[in-house]
Amino acid sequence: MSVPTVNLDPQDGDVAVFGDVQAVFDLKLSQSDVADWRTVGDMHQTLIRRLADRQGGEACATAMVFYRLRRALGGRSLHLAPNTPLAPLVGTNPRQWRDDLQRALSLDMPSFSWTTQGTIGCYLSLVAVVCLAGDLILKSGVVAISSIAALLIGWALGRLDRLSLPDGLITVGDLTRGIAARNVGALARQGARLREADIWDAICALLSDETGTPPDQIGPDSYLFAHVLYADRQAA
């Protein structure tokens, strides 16, 4: 059963998704393309129309990514298979491993998760920004220095966090599918098949990264924004 809404941030969720869609599908969208987007199905239909000229490829996108992964991982990939666990390959610094692999593949990677260190850094930075804003409004200057210090510490904790593999990214096959879904436009230009189902999978992966909604719970009737769903229900 699909969720009623993926609940994008009403402040800047449209801007973030607009940019992500252009990057993932390797195309430029106009305001007229997105003006009528209310549901995920609306987004899907627009992208099917805009990507019609790239649907003649014959190669399998996941196979293309898998063979690139095998080459990029070099000597460690002699026995690489879709069911190979990722953890031993990633080692002790997932952030560095991800960044190195992204440069080698020239493809976007799935998001990795914060560890406890990174999470603390994010919350510390958020609290520091709120306190600093309050201090600027009140013009007291009492907490400004400590807030700036806390902000810098929070930033450092996040920047130095080695990250961890996210839930659902367990095997090389999971990583292959994740990379393919986030680079469908670029892979299609290189000869990969781009079917309607591939476009849908990429949309779900993108929205899942943005909102945390599991991809298998996103349906064509899922609204992008909760306030739009509420308004439509009120008007019905």
Side-chain angles (χ1 to χ4, degrees):
M1 183 176 178
S2 60
V3 295
T5 174
V6 296
N7 200 20
L8 286 172
D9 185 341
Q11 296 298 320
D12 59 5
D14 55 341
V15 176
V17 168
F18 185 81
D20 289 345
V21 166
Q22 293 188 110
V24 167
F25 291 97
D26 191 24
L27 83 168
K28 295 292 185 182
L29 292 170
S30 66
Q31 189 59 40
S32 62
D33 288 321
V34 304
D36 296 326
W37 284 5
R38 303 178 75 78
T39 66
V40 182
D42 295 334
M43 181 189 295
H44 188 214
Q45 291 304 311
T46 296
L47 292 172
I48 290 173
R49 174 175 54 80
R50 287 296 311 275
L51 295 166
D53 61 339
R54 298 193 214 168
Q55 298 183 32
E58 296 297 331
C60 174
T62 52
M64 291 170 65
V65 172
F66 177 76
Y67 290 121
R68 290 190 192 183
L69 272 175
R70 191 163 67 177
R71 289 194 299 271
L73 294 174
R76 294 177 295 175
S77 64
L78 294 178
H79 303 290
L80 200 66
N83 62 353
T84 300
L86 275 178
L89 298 173
V90 170
T92 60
N93 194 336
R95 180 194 287 270
Q96 187 64 54
W97 184 86
R98 181 202 64 184
D99 292 348
D100 290 345
L101 191 56
Q102 180 163 298
R103 282 190 292 269
L105 297 175
S106 296
L107 295 172
D108 289 334
M109 296 282 288
S111 300
F112 279 26
S113 299
W114 294 110
T115 65
T116 301
Q117 172 186 318
T119 302
I120 292 173
C122 287
Y123 280 116
L124 184 60
S125 297
L126 178 61
V127 171
V129 168
V130 172
C131 291
L132 185 59
D135 189 69
L136 290 173
I137 292 172
L138 296 175
K139 298 181 180 180
S140 66
V142 177
V143 297
I145 295 176
S146 57
S147 294
I148 293 172
L151 181 62
L152 292 174
I153 293 172
W155 175 86
L157 287 173
R159 186 66 185 86
L160 296 175
D161 186 10
R162 294 186 173 188
L163 305 180
S164 63
L165 290 170
D167 294 340
L169 208 62
I170 300 170
T171 66
V172 170
D174 297 329
L175 179 61
T176 299
R177 289 186 290 272
I179 295 174
R182 288 161 179 79
N183 296 273
V184 290
L187 293 170
R189 288 189 185 278
Q190 297 166 27
R193 290 191 299 270
L194 187 58
R195 300 162 300 185
E196 293 185 11
D198 300 315
I199 297 172
W200 176 257
D201 289 343
I203 291 172
C204 291
L206 184 156
L207 291 173
S208 180
D209 279 353
E210 183 69 28
T211 67
T213 306
D216 60 356
Q217 294 182 20
I218 299 174
D221 294 331
S222 297
Y223 275 71
L224 296 172
F225 296 96
H227 70 275
V228 177
L229 170 63
Y230 178 76
D232 281 0
R233 285 181 172 176
Q234 289 292 100

